[in-house]
Amino acid sequence: MTVSRCRVIEFPVIRDPRGNLTFVEGGRHIPFAIERVFYLYDVPGGEHRAGHALKDTVQILVAMSGSFDVVLDDGERRETVTLNRSYFGLLVDSLVWREIENFSSGAVCLVLASRVYDENGYYRTYEDFRAAASSSR
């Protein structure tokens, strides 16, 4: 992965002919205490979500069902990661611009966040994000 401070995390899988089980434990598989959980679903074809950067919140995105692409941008590099397995999580650090697109039919994106929602914790325009990213280097 070329975008700094982002990586794919593989969660444990317990395989069973009756159905597989994956679990996630804070402090063990997740490098932060989980303060918020939300999920995106029923995203209409052709739509995208996110389009922001977070000032001090770390998130992990998981494709619980279906697939989607996550476009990451740290101000210097841009990369697209496809999520399509429920045992992979994409760690997205703070001060990384993210866009989620190409949702398959029935896709569900689970998000585990290190902080509760705070509208003041977002960069909502790419220009504001770029200015903050440039000053943090």
Side-chain angles (χ1 to χ4, degrees):
M1 183 161 291
T2 60
V3 172
S4 65
R5 303 178 323 275
C6 296
R7 63 187 166 97
V8 173
I9 299 171
E10 186 170 357
F11 302 127
V13 177
I14 299 173
R15 301 199 186 280
D16 188 298
R18 301 168 297 164
N20 299 331
L21 181 141
T22 291
F23 60 96
V24 178
E25 297 174 353
R28 184 171 175 198
H29 307 110
I30 306 291
F32 55 80
I34 299 167
E35 290 193 17
R36 182 173 185 233
V37 176
F38 64 94
Y39 44 97
L40 305 168
Y41 58 97
D42 292 342
V43 178
E47 291 296 326
H48 66 276
R49 296 297 308 246
H52 60 260
L54 294 160
K55 294 178 181 178
D56 60 3
T57 300
V58 180
Q59 293 180 331
I60 293 183
L61 286 67
V62 180
M64 297 305 296
S65 180
S67 65
F68 49 84
D69 294 333
V70 183
V71 181
L72 302 170
D73 183 330
D74 64 7
E76 293 183 351
R77 291 168 299 280
R78 192 169 180 90
E79 179 175 6
T80 300
V81 177
T82 299
L83 293 177
N84 59 8
R85 298 284 184 259
S86 59
Y87 52 87
F88 286 122
L90 176 62
L91 180 106
V92 182
D93 205 349
S94 58
L95 209 56
V96 174
W97 186 266
R98 79 280 321 267
E99 299 169 7
I100 310 171
E101 59 189 23
N102 296 325
F103 285 85
S104 69
S105 178
V108 177
C109 173
L110 173 73
V111 182
L112 310 172
S114 66
R115 296 194 181 268
V116 298
Y117 176 80
D118 175 8
E119 179 56 36
N120 295 320
Y122 286 75
Y123 293 107
R124 296 284 186 186
T125 70
Y126 189 74
E127 293 75 24
D128 289 345
F129 155 71
R130 284 295 306 239
S134 293
S135 68
S136 73
R137 290 189 196 102

